[in-house]
Amino acid sequence: MERSLETQVDQAVEAWLRWVPRWEPATHRGRVAPCRRCLGSPVLSAAGIASNTPHGVQHGLSTRIKAIVDSAVAEYTARNLPMLQRELDQQAARNRARSYRPAENLDPEFDGLPLDPDPVPGAPFLFTIAGMADDAAEELPPLPPLSDEAKAALRQEVALADEYANMVGREICGLMLRHRLHIQAAISQHVEPQIEAMLAELTESLDSPFGPDSV
């Protein structure tokens, strides 16, 4: 598993490194709520990505790594946790039956982000993508109920899956350390100059307090 995991991490970082040169600063209004996937991520810390790095740059890497963890946990669950696997299969079948699934098959840079922008006070949305997705989910019948004993057993299997995910995450953090220099070099080459250019443009657009028009 270690060799396979190492290969997956190498490929994820290489894919992110190929994407970073295409990154551009967002021109729309940023969101207020922090991204729970990226905020305080030990993977990003191991990769040497500072907390003040633009979120889009962070998210593209953290999502690729999350896919590796999810895949490892899915394999572990299929082999060892039959009750949890059955619940996941039922939920997956229910999701496939939805008529509208806007959050599926997104590029890593967008996966996990909110489907709609933050609302503007006094300008309500006529509709939202998330709202339409919720409406489609409500049309489906609920999953069959579980007995108390089944719920307790399911909680135990979920705890085991979480423990395994944490173990895989720790191993990935160790693997990320060898990529720090390449990741930081990519940010220095492709991201920081764009941020500096934005700051310079902002400074030039402001009236100088000591200019001829300031008196």
Side-chain angles (χ1 to χ4, degrees):
M1 175 183 170
E2 181 178 355
R3 183 177 305 170
S4 175
L5 191 63
E6 179 180 353
T7 299
Q8 291 180 69
V9 170
D10 291 346
Q11 292 173 343
V13 173
E14 289 169 3
W16 180 84
L17 290 172
R18 290 193 299 269
W19 168 79
V20 167
R22 303 197 303 271
W23 176 84
E24 294 181 355
T27 57
H28 57 276
R29 183 169 56 93
R31 297 186 62 88
V32 176
C35 176
R36 289 179 293 179
R37 181 175 299 178
C38 299
L39 182 65
S41 167
V43 170
L44 295 178
S45 177
I49 297 182
S51 59
N52 61 349
T53 302
H55 175 245
V57 177
Q58 299 183 44
H59 196 84
L61 182 58
S62 65
T63 298
R64 286 179 168 89
I65 298 301
K66 180 181 181 298
I68 298 174
V69 177
D70 289 348
S71 177
V73 173
E75 293 180 5
Y76 174 81
T77 300
R79 292 195 308 266
N80 303 290
L81 308 175
M83 180 169 288
L84 178 56
Q85 184 63 56
R86 184 166 58 250
E87 287 294 309
L88 293 174
D89 290 342
Q90 291 177 344
Q91 185 63 61
R94 188 175 188 271
N95 289 338
R96 287 193 298 269
R98 286 183 300 159
S99 58
Y100 185 55
R101 303 189 296 271
E104 293 185 5
N105 300 319
L106 298 176
D107 291 336
E109 295 77 33
F110 305 103
D111 184 27
L113 294 179
L115 297 174
D116 300 287
D118 284 330
V120 177
F125 295 126
L126 295 178
F127 62 89
T128 63
I129 295 176
M132 291 190 294
D134 291 340
D135 291 342
E138 290 176 358
E139 298 172 357
L140 302 176
L143 295 173
L146 296 173
S147 66
D148 291 340
E149 293 80 5
K151 290 179 181 178
L154 182 60
R155 282 193 292 269
Q156 287 184 330
E157 292 196 359
V158 169
L160 290 172
D162 288 342
E163 182 179 344
Y164 185 77
N166 290 332
M167 183 193 74
V168 174
R170 289 192 295 270
E171 187 170 352
I172 288 178
C173 286
L175 294 172
M176 291 296 293
L177 294 175
R178 69 185 67 181
H179 296 286
R180 285 174 67 100
L181 293 179
H182 291 105
I183 290 172
Q184 292 172 339
I187 293 174
S188 297
Q189 180 179 356
H190 301 292
V191 177
E192 292 178 357
Q194 295 191 66
I195 301 301
E196 293 171 359
M198 286 183 61
L199 294 175
E201 183 178 355
L202 177 62
T203 300
E204 292 175 359
S205 66
L206 298 176
D207 292 333
S208 172
F210 304 106
D213 298 330
S214 62
V215 293

